[in-house]
Amino acid sequence: DESKVKHEVKLTKKRKKEKKTANSVFNDTDYTKEDDFTKQCLRNIGLLDGNVSVASDKIVKYNHKVKRQVKPEAARSNAAEPSIFTDEDFEVVNKLHFVNSKKAVILDETGKL
């Protein structure tokens, strides 16, 4: 009786092992033999490229501007214009706001503090 039970247990273990090996499937595909679509892709790119016209002038100007290879025109024109402030105005602001300069005394139109 015990020998039959042991024999059945052995058989069930063998069957489980057989089932496991039968269910295992490995990927045996050969990826070196894929289809080459290079010529077809290049032909399609050529067709699409013929439909588009691009002017690169704006791109080149933008790159020069971003890389600071061209001086801005606004700065050139502002340098030629005279300032609305006089040298005396700059001296007063200097004395009022900077630590190492002598303090300025501002008088009103009547000459008082």
Side-chain angles (χ1 to χ4, degrees):
D1 202 34
E2 286 182 29
S3 64
K4 286 184 180 180
V5 173
K6 286 182 182 179
H7 183 67
E8 287 180 22
V9 170
K10 285 182 182 179
L11 284 176
T12 54
K13 286 183 181 179
K14 274 188 179 181
R15 288 181 191 152
K16 285 182 183 179
K17 284 183 183 178
E18 288 174 5
K19 286 182 183 178
K20 284 183 184 177
T21 57
N23 289 341
S24 301
V25 177
F26 295 102
N27 187 1
D28 291 333
T29 55
D30 186 12
Y31 288 105
T32 59
K33 296 181 181 179
E34 290 185 10
D35 295 333
D36 187 19
F37 295 106
T38 306
K39 290 181 182 177
Q40 187 179 8
C41 290
L42 290 174
R43 183 179 53 87
N44 291 339
I45 289 172
L47 291 173
L48 291 173
D49 196 30
N51 295 335
V52 178
S53 63
V54 177
S56 63
D57 295 338
K58 290 182 181 179
I59 298 170
V60 171
K61 285 180 184 177
Y62 175 77
N63 277 341
H64 283 293
K65 181 178 146 186
V66 168
K67 293 180 180 182
R68 298 180 183 193
Q69 294 175 349
V70 177
K71 293 181 180 176
E73 294 176 14
R76 291 180 193 161
S77 63
N78 288 341
E81 294 178 9
S83 175
I84 60 171
F85 298 106
T86 62
D87 290 336
E88 295 168 0
D89 295 333
F90 287 117
E91 288 176 21
V92 169
V93 170
N94 242 352
K95 289 180 182 178
L96 286 174
H97 297 289
F98 293 103
V99 177
N100 293 329
S101 62
K102 296 179 182 177
K103 292 289 181 184
V105 178
I106 299 177
L107 303 175
D108 61 357
E109 294 174 4
T110 61
K112 296 182 181 179
L113 291 175

